[in-house]
Amino acid sequence: MAATEEPRAQGAREGELFSTISGVENEPLYTPESTPVDYERELGAPGAFPFTRGVYPSMYRGRLWTMRQFAGFGTAEETNERFRYLLEHGQTGLSTAFDMPTLMGYDSDHPRSLGEVGREGVAIDSLEDMQTLFSGIPLGDVSTSMTINSPAAILLAFYLCVGEEEGVPRASLRGTIQTDILKEYIAQKEYIFPPAPSMRLVTDMVEFCAREMPLWHPISISGYHIREAGSTAAQELAFTLADGFTYVEWALERGLAVDEFAPRLSFFFNAHLDFFEEIAKYRAARRIWARHLRDRYGAKDPRSLLMRFHTQTAGVSLTAQQPEVNIVRTAIEALAAVLGGTQSLHTNSFDEALALPTEDAVRIALRTQQVIAHETGVANTIDPLGGSYYLEHLTNELERQAEEYFEQIERLGGVVAAIEQNFFQQEIADAAFRYQAEVEAGERVVVGVNRYELQGEPELEILKIDPALERKQVDRVQALRARRDTAAVEAALARLRTDAADERRNLMPAIVDASRAYVTMGEMCDAFREVWGTWRETPVF
């Protein structure tokens, strides 16, 4: 092993860690001896089991990934304008951010919504707002992603109704709604109801989409927010897939066949800064998902084995210091996502550590993807880094760590039981603490933060949300309540409460009918709160 010993003899940079961001130790050099590769078993061809090299035979030579930019602020009118701007500049799919009241199931005029309406995303209170949001946008021609979880069924119903008003049948609508309630309990904390009724609602959506909306992805199983909370790459990988297996199990218990719904499950991963670790994470994820779906859950349809995923560059890696440097960070993260075989990509704007992005910053973020796609050559061949001794080592190591986590979760009684025991929360808190300590000690260099600082930085022009938009949205929802059919609203709410109390009923038809009656999102969530209650967790430090 002289080849691996020689670099060590030359010494190493003092004071810096050589492990990955997640703490995986790196050898100075990898060789065929240190990383034997079983090509057929571990890699194979793209589009074939175990899908390490990609889910489609031709990958980007056949079609580039979908380029999405997260958009949403103010009222539906402002976000509709941003959607049109992005489509005009070459974006190929829409991605919708909702404000905090919408995410938490409150209408804009609720006391808890004060000061938050339209601040971090678009305010959507009713079908009327959804009609405005997508006005002039042909839903039959675009793919739409919506980032929302607890009230996801309600927003899906709004979207379905808008499509049908445009003459686009629900069976033709294409897109993804996040719906991943388990990662809310684990990481993001935007939950409303206790885990069991929340999982029932998710399963209702999976069943409904399998039978009514065959082109729609009813869940985007999301590791992104797990990573943003401070997890390692292996934790993001393991906890995300464990959530995915749990959704599969609930759907199977409902009586669905695995091949009836699994082809429409999708995933959402973070693209962090440790370039090779991120690429390895995506490759390991495909391999694990395919193996478990085939061997554990008995999937026969090849489409059920395909882990198709969206990626977003790491918001947590962006710095308020020297924010233009974030353009570089985002480009590297996006390149890792592409080399890892993503199907869809969002690139963060350089000013997002300070505020919602300006149009100029969004355009640069989109151009970053376009440069990668058309100027770098990385899309000209499939999995160009496959077979790299280092990359294959990392892929195997992340897979090994993920399998160890699966065994731990199983011993705790499964994902829901592990959430109730705060297992995930404690693991992530420990990882985040370790990383922050390394940064503060200078062992992890963050440019502009703990090295290469710049004194007297010029102030960056940021997007400011007009406070008058909140009053406008409040007036809108109150005007809607004043003119709608009160009797129809009361009947729809009564049906929602009745169906929520009866676990044998799929809630989606009642939610769609309530949407058509212009029952607001907050009113529907309140009806469910009456029946199911709300959830509070024990904090972990």
Side-chain angles (χ1 to χ4, degrees):
M1 296 298 291
T4 61
E5 291 168 1
E6 185 179 352
R8 287 179 177 169
Q10 296 173 358
R13 299 192 307 273
E14 293 295 327
E16 281 189 52
L17 295 170
F18 288 87
S19 56
T20 69
I21 281 178
S22 298
V24 176
E25 294 298 333
N26 287 316
E27 293 295 326
L29 184 68
Y30 288 87
T31 68
E33 289 77 22
S34 64
T35 311
V37 177
D38 185 329
Y39 186 87
E40 290 301 323
R41 186 175 66 84
E42 296 176 348
L43 278 79
F49 190 87
F51 303 102
T52 309
R53 309 202 70 183
V55 290
Y56 299 124
S58 61
M59 288 302 290
Y60 306 137
R61 286 181 68 98
R63 190 178 77 174
L64 292 172
W65 62 92
T66 300
M67 299 182 192
R68 299 186 190 275
Q69 290 302 118
F70 209 29
F73 63 93
T75 69
E77 285 94 343
E78 284 74 34
T79 301
N80 176 264
E81 289 179 15
R82 178 63 66 87
F83 279 167
R84 290 168 179 263
Y85 174 87
L86 291 168
L87 291 172
E88 288 167 4
H89 282 79
Q91 183 169 303
T92 54
L94 299 175
S95 186
T96 313
F98 298 96
D99 69 358
M100 189 57 70
T102 305
L103 295 172
M104 299 303 296
Y106 294 112
D107 288 334
S108 296
D109 61 344
H110 191 282
R112 291 191 177 183
S113 301
L114 182 64
E116 294 292 338
V117 176
R119 294 286 175 176
E120 297 177 347
V122 62
I124 298 294
D125 292 320
S126 70
L127 173 58
E128 182 180 69
D129 290 330
M130 193 67 95
Q131 290 164 329
T132 302
L133 181 63
F134 290 100
S135 175
I137 296 173
L139 298 191
D141 298 336
V142 299
S143 169
T144 300
S145 173
M146 292 184 278
T147 301
I148 194 156
N149 293 285
S150 275
I154 299 167
L155 273 294
L156 177 62
F158 289 167
Y159 190 83
L160 178 159
C161 291
V162 173
E164 291 183 339
E165 287 173 2
E166 283 190 12
V168 183
R170 60 183 66 172
S172 299
L173 292 171
R174 294 180 299 114
T176 304
I177 193 160
Q178 196 165 97
T179 319
D180 184 359
I181 196 61
L182 291 174
K183 64 89 179 171
E184 294 297 335
Y185 300 112
I186 290 172
Q188 199 172 25
K189 314 305 181 185
E190 290 166 2
Y191 44 69
I192 301 173
F193 317 114
S198 293
M199 285 296 293
R200 177 258 179 113
L201 189 54
V202 170
T203 309
D204 285 351
M205 288 182 63
V206 172
E207 181 180 41
F208 179 82
C209 289
R211 292 170 180 169
E212 302 280 341
M213 302 179 71
L215 301 182
W216 192 267
H217 295 280
I219 313 178
S220 177
I221 304 156
S222 175
Y224 184 84
H225 307 94
I226 292 171
R227 194 64 179 281
E228 292 288 288
S231 80
T232 66
Q235 288 169 346
E236 178 192 359
L237 174 63
F239 299 170
T240 305
L241 268 65
D243 289 350
F245 299 147
T246 304
Y247 294 125
V248 169
E249 289 161 8
W250 276 66
L252 292 174
E253 289 173 12
R254 177 65 63 88
L256 294 170
V258 65
D259 291 324
E260 190 176 357
F261 64 88
R264 302 312 295 171
L265 298 178
S266 65
F267 287 80
F268 174 23
F269 287 111
N270 198 298
H272 215 296
L273 266 170
D274 202 302
F275 187 70
F276 291 103
E277 182 173 61
E278 295 303 290
I279 299 168
K281 178 184 71 182
Y282 308 130
R283 300 168 90 248
R286 281 193 293 269
R287 201 154 73 193
I288 295 169
W289 182 254
R291 186 175 66 252
H292 280 255
L293 264 288
R294 186 190 69 177
D295 299 344
R296 182 176 176 185
Y297 299 110
K300 299 290 191 295
D301 187 338
R303 297 176 304 153
S304 298
L305 309 183
L306 305 184
M307 170 179 273
R308 287 160 292 200
F309 64 94
H310 170 70
T311 310
Q312 181 175 338
T313 56
V316 74
S317 73
L318 303 179
T319 65
Q321 300 92 331
Q322 302 180 43
E324 293 91 344
V325 179
N326 293 329
I327 298 171
V328 181
R329 293 186 176 100
T330 295
I332 292 167
E333 292 165 351
L335 184 59
V338 170
L339 290 170
T342 193
Q343 277 62 66
S344 172
L345 180 59
H346 164 90
T347 32
N348 289 328
S349 299
F350 72 88
D351 53 1
E352 287 190 56
L354 300 166
L356 290 173
T358 62
E359 284 192 352
D360 286 346
V362 169
R363 186 178 65 254
I364 291 170
L366 180 58
R367 293 289 182 258
T368 300
Q369 295 201 45
Q370 292 163 342
V371 168
I372 291 172
H374 300 292
E375 297 187 30
T376 64
V378 299
N380 294 343
T381 191
I382 303 160
D383 189 31
L385 295 181
S388 153
Y389 302 122
Y390 178 47
L391 183 61
E392 300 305 340
H393 164 78
L394 277 178
T395 302
N396 294 339
E397 175 60 18
L398 291 177
E399 181 177 13
R400 184 193 65 77
Q401 290 189 29
E403 292 291 347
E404 284 187 354
Y405 269 120
F406 297 152
E407 291 176 8
Q408 284 183 270
I409 294 163
E410 191 85 18
R411 287 196 297 270
L412 291 169
V415 167
V416 174
I419 287 169
E420 293 170 346
Q421 296 170 61
N422 278 349
F423 168 74
F424 300 106
Q425 299 92 313
Q426 188 66 63
E427 288 289 304
I428 294 169
D430 290 346
F433 181 83
R434 175 193 60 78
Y435 175 77
Q436 187 60 32
E438 291 170 354
V439 172
E440 291 180 6
E443 296 171 327
R444 297 275 179 207
V445 176
V446 181
V447 173
V449 175
N450 64 359
R451 198 179 294 185
Y452 313 115
E453 298 95 331
L454 181 65
Q455 301 302 318
E457 289 188 52
E459 190 170 320
L460 190 71
E461 185 176 338
I462 61 174
L463 179 69
K464 293 183 171 63
I465 306 300
D466 185 351
L469 294 177
E470 180 162 340
R471 183 70 253 170
K472 176 183 174 183
Q473 183 65 20
V474 168
D475 290 345
R476 169 182 286 164
V477 69
Q478 291 178 346
L480 171 70
R481 291 200 195 98
R483 67 174 182 271
R484 66 190 180 179
D485 185 334
T486 304
V489 168
E490 291 303 322
L493 286 170
R495 181 184 172 193
L496 280 178
R497 295 186 195 97
T498 300
D499 286 6
D502 185 350
E503 292 189 5
R504 296 168 300 176
R505 294 179 182 270
N506 188 305
L507 282 163
M508 284 304 300
I511 293 171
V512 172
D513 288 346
S515 301
R516 291 198 186 104
Y518 291 94
V519 179
T520 68
M521 183 267 309
E523 290 167 336
M524 291 194 224
C525 287
D526 283 345
F528 294 145
R529 286 183 183 100
E530 288 179 36
V531 179
W532 297 332
T534 56
W535 174 256
R536 289 187 181 182
E537 73 168 9
T538 303
V540 170
F541 299 97

